[in-house]
């Protein structure tokens, strides 16, 4: 496999980075990088780290980084995951550094501990912390419960002062969304599976409305909704498909939809194959809506979607012969 | 009346579904089966995920029917937690 750390890869312009991912030769990992400057979304680092966990150290090759931002990669623990000695000296993180380095989470208790420790690292006020810990909890629990990945979840996060945004990336190398959703549905493509997974009340554990005792199929819908209401990016990539919720135009009334394809988005199903699932999300702290107001919108959309789906399922039509 | 203080079990952010399931199986259901009422006390808990609340109460609604909510009291819930509980209660009434 080959990955190139580009000059810039954030959710708005991540498509070329994803398309350049070479997923052939899954037993090897080769990383190259832009020589001058590397500025990437945490999801890029999470993807690299998640891949590195699956490969023997001797089969990982990382080009010697020359860009000034190599110190950032060191601070984010990238070389630890690659098991490569970087020879980069770093001073302990500056007060301005608000980030959560790459972390592997393998079980429920580790997640609870991680969430508790994460908020002080990002220096968040309670109102800002609420959607972020919510998102991290739901995303990581999805990985722990559904991915069947031997290596569980890898994630990291970073605060960006200029945009006053927290960016979060989480990756796993498990079975992917299509395999999970197809435990209860029969999707033909990865994109179709992503679409279902983002709808409220759809889970791979059952087709029954209301879900099982443990899963309702609401987690990804909530996260997409948080990003939508805050006018932020949200990206999900699994198999050969990628769905990206685009920023909503400011000033316009925000309307939530049960169907992610009704939101302003971009998508594709010709991406290099990612075995597992990758999620990236931005949360702008300027725009963070009161979480409780957001929940009103979520409730309304959730129930409306479920009712429409039930109506459609039980609707009988006159048969004319 | 059985009162279950959640803060001691889950901290200020109720997100651990495994703990939610344990509370449901070991504390809520046995009390309900004895015909007793249950109070879920959220004092000190300032947020919860939908997944946590689902793991805590959805199966009770499914097994005992929605009228069981007359025997479960949610105490000291802030606005966010109330709304998350309402979402779960609402969609469970749409269940098949």
């Amino acid at each position: 496999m080959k990955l190139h750390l580009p000059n810039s890869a954030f959710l708005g312009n991540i498509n070329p980075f994803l398309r350049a991912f070479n997923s052939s030769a899954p037993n090897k990992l080769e990383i190259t990088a832009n020589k001058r400057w590397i500025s990437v979304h945490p999801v890029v680092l999470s993807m690299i780290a998640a891949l590195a966990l699956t490969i023997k150290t001797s089969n990982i090759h990382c080009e010697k980084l020359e860009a000034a931002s190599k110190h950032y990669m060191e601070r984010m623990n990238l070389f630890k995951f690659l098991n490569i000695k970087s020879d980069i000296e770093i001073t302990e993180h500056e007060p301005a550094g608000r980030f959560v380095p790459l972390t592997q989470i393998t079980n429920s208790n580790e997640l609870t501990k991680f969430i508790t420790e994460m908020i002080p690292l990002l220096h968040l006020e309670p109102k800002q912390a609420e959607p972020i810990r919510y998102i991290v909890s739901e995303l990581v629990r999805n990985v722990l419960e559904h991915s069947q990945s031997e290596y569980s979840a890898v994630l990291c996060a970073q605060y960006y002062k200029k945009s006053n945004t927290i960016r979060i990336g989480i990756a796993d190398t498990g079975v992917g969304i299509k395999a999970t959703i197809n435990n209860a549905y029969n999707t033909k493509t990865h994109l179709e599976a992503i679409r279902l997974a983002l709808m409220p009340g759809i889970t791979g554990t059952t087709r029954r409305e209301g879900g099982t005792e443990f899963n309702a199929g609401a987690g990804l819908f909530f996260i997409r909704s948080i990003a939508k209401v805050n006018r932020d990016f949200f990206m999900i990539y699994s198999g050969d498909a990628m769905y990206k919720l685009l920023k909503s135009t400011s000033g316009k009334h925000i309307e939530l939809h049960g169907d992610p394809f009704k939101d302003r988005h971009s998508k594709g199903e010709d991406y290099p194959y990612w075995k597992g699932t990758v999620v990236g999300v931005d949360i702008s702290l300027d725009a963070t809506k009161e979480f409780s107001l957001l929940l009103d919108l979520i409730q309304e959309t959730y129930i409306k979607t479920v009712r429409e789906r039930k109506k459609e399922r039980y609707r009988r039509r006159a048969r004319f012969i | 009346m059985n009162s279950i203080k959640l803060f001691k079990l889950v901290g200020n952010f109720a997100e651990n579904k495994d703990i939610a399931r344990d509370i449901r199986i070991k504390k809520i259901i046995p009390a309900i089966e004895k015909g007793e009422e249950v109070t879920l006390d959220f004092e000190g808990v300032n947020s919860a995920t939908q997944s946590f609340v689902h793991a805590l109460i959805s199966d009770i609604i499914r097994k005992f029917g929605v009228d069981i909510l007359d025997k479960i009291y949610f105490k000291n819930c802030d606005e966010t937690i109330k709304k998350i509980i309402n979402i779960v209660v609402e969609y469970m009434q749409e269940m098949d």
Side-chain angles (χ1 to χ4, degrees):
Chain A
M1 293 182 286
K2 287 181 188 169
L3 274 163
H4 179 72
L5 281 167
N7 173 252
S8 168
F10 290 89
L11 295 185
N13 66 348
I14 201 165
N15 302 25
F17 164 76
L18 299 180
R19 289 200 184 281
F21 167 49
N22 181 340
S23 58
S24 63
N27 298 326
K28 285 183 181 174
L29 179 61
E30 191 179 325
I31 298 156
T32 55
N34 185 283
K35 300 267 183 282
R36 292 167 64 90
W37 184 257
I38 303 162
S39 188
V40 293
H41 192 282
V43 76
V44 170
L45 303 185
S46 296
M47 286 172 69
I48 297 173
L51 288 180
L53 287 173
T54 68
I55 292 166
K56 270 200 330 199
T57 305
S58 56
N59 287 342
I60 298 176
H61 176 72
C62 181
E63 183 182 46
K64 197 165 172 60
L65 299 189
E66 292 174 21
S69 39
K70 63 189 177 185
H71 292 87
Y72 174 69
M73 305 299 162
E74 175 70 26
R75 279 201 321 185
M76 292 300 277
N77 280 350
L78 182 65
F79 298 108
K80 276 186 191 155
F81 273 81
L82 297 175
N83 223 343
I84 287 173
K85 204 168 179 313
S86 70
D87 296 325
I88 298 169
E89 296 276 327
I90 51 161
T91 48
E92 278 308 305
H93 84 251
E94 318 125 34
R98 292 164 62 173
F99 64 95
V100 178
L102 283 163
T103 307
Q104 182 185 14
I105 298 177
T106 61
N107 62 52
S108 178
N109 291 335
E110 275 180 26
L111 171 60
T112 299
K113 185 169 175 278
F114 175 82
I115 291 171
T116 310
E117 292 169 357
M118 172 189 79
I119 299 304
L121 283 176
L122 293 171
H123 307 193
L124 295 169
E125 293 165 20
K127 181 189 155 199
Q128 298 168 332
E130 200 148 22
I132 288 160
R133 63 184 182 172
Y134 195 102
I135 287 169
V136 169
S137 170
E138 294 284 28
L139 285 179
V140 177
R141 285 200 185 279
N142 269 351
V143 176
L144 298 178
E145 287 168 24
H146 305 298
S147 77
Q148 298 175 43
S149 167
E150 193 183 333
Y151 306 97
S152 300
V154 176
L155 76 159
C156 63
Q158 171 75 50
Y159 169 74
Y160 292 81
K161 194 175 176 185
K162 199 174 163 189
S163 55
N164 196 25
T165 301
I166 300 278
R167 297 185 171 131
I168 302 165
I170 172 164
D172 74 68
T173 49
V175 297
I177 291 177
K178 185 170 163 235
T180 304
I181 283 289
N182 279 0
N183 286 322
Y185 292 83
N186 184 26
T187 60
K188 299 280 186 277
T189 67
H190 292 278
L191 190 61
E192 197 188 334
I194 288 176
R195 183 185 194 177
L196 280 185
L198 293 172
M199 287 185 183
I202 301 280
T203 165
T205 54
T206 179
R207 288 184 83 121
R208 198 170 55 169
E209 293 296 349
T212 63
E213 56 156 329
F214 217 52
N215 289 104
L220 284 173
F221 169 68
F222 267 63
I223 294 164
R224 174 168 70 85
S225 301
I226 292 169
K228 172 86 189 279
V229 171
N230 288 327
R231 302 177 197 280
D232 290 317
F233 281 115
F234 166 81
M235 188 268 303
I236 186 160
Y237 173 33
S238 184
D240 62 6
M242 189 275 286
Y243 170 90
K244 182 160 59 177
L245 175 76
L246 301 174
K247 279 172 176 268
S248 308
T249 320
S250 61
K252 273 193 172 176
H253 170 71
I254 293 268
E255 190 185 354
L256 291 183
H257 298 106
D259 182 351
F261 287 6
K262 287 186 178 166
D263 286 330
R264 190 168 168 261
H265 71 283
S266 69
K267 60 183 180 290
E269 45 190 340
D270 55 352
Y271 281 82
Y273 194 89
W274 180 271
K275 190 190 162 298
T277 306
V278 175
V279 176
V281 62
D282 293 352
I283 296 294
S284 159
L285 301 183
D286 288 335
T288 307
K289 282 266 180 299
E290 284 293 344
F291 198 56
S292 70
L293 294 178
L294 194 155
L295 291 171
D296 290 335
L297 275 173
I298 288 178
Q299 178 171 4
E300 190 185 306
T301 311
Y302 198 115
I303 299 304
K304 189 175 152 211
T305 308
V306 171
R307 283 183 185 156
E308 281 171 2
R309 191 163 56 227
K310 279 182 74 175
K311 197 170 156 191
E312 195 54 38
R313 192 183 308 152
Y314 295 116
R315 174 177 289 162
R316 291 291 175 268
R317 290 185 171 86
R319 291 193 291 176
F320 300 102
I321 53 171
Chain B
M1 168 81 79
N2 293 271
S3 181
I4 300 166
K5 291 195 178 293
L6 291 163
F7 178 75
K8 283 196 297 188
L9 304 166
V10 299
N12 67 9
F13 180 39
E15 61 83 36
N16 192 324
K17 293 163 75 175
D18 298 325
I19 297 176
R21 179 177 50 194
D22 281 354
I23 295 169
R24 167 168 49 85
I25 293 171
K26 293 177 183 164
K27 294 176 188 275
I28 307 176
I29 291 181
I32 284 171
E33 283 176 340
K34 280 192 250 167
E36 294 170 0
E37 293 182 337
V38 175
T39 298
L40 297 169
D41 189 343
F42 283 80
E43 187 178 13
V45 180
N46 53 35
S47 191
T49 62
Q50 164 273 331
S51 293
F52 176 88
V53 175
H54 182 89
L56 190 69
I57 63 169
S58 70
D59 202 42
I60 296 168
I61 298 173
R62 191 186 297 282
K63 277 186 177 141
F64 297 93
V66 76
D67 290 347
I68 200 66
L69 290 169
D70 294 339
K71 292 197 166 189
I72 302 174
Y73 297 89
F74 300 93
K75 190 177 173 189
N76 292 316
C77 298
D78 72 7
E79 207 53 35
T80 302
I81 294 172
K82 274 184 193 169
K83 287 184 179 176
I84 293 197
I85 292 168
N86 277 334
I87 290 173
V88 175
V89 166
E90 277 274 312
Y91 73 63
M92 284 312 293
Q93 291 181 67
E94 300 292 332
M95 68 186 172
D96 289 328

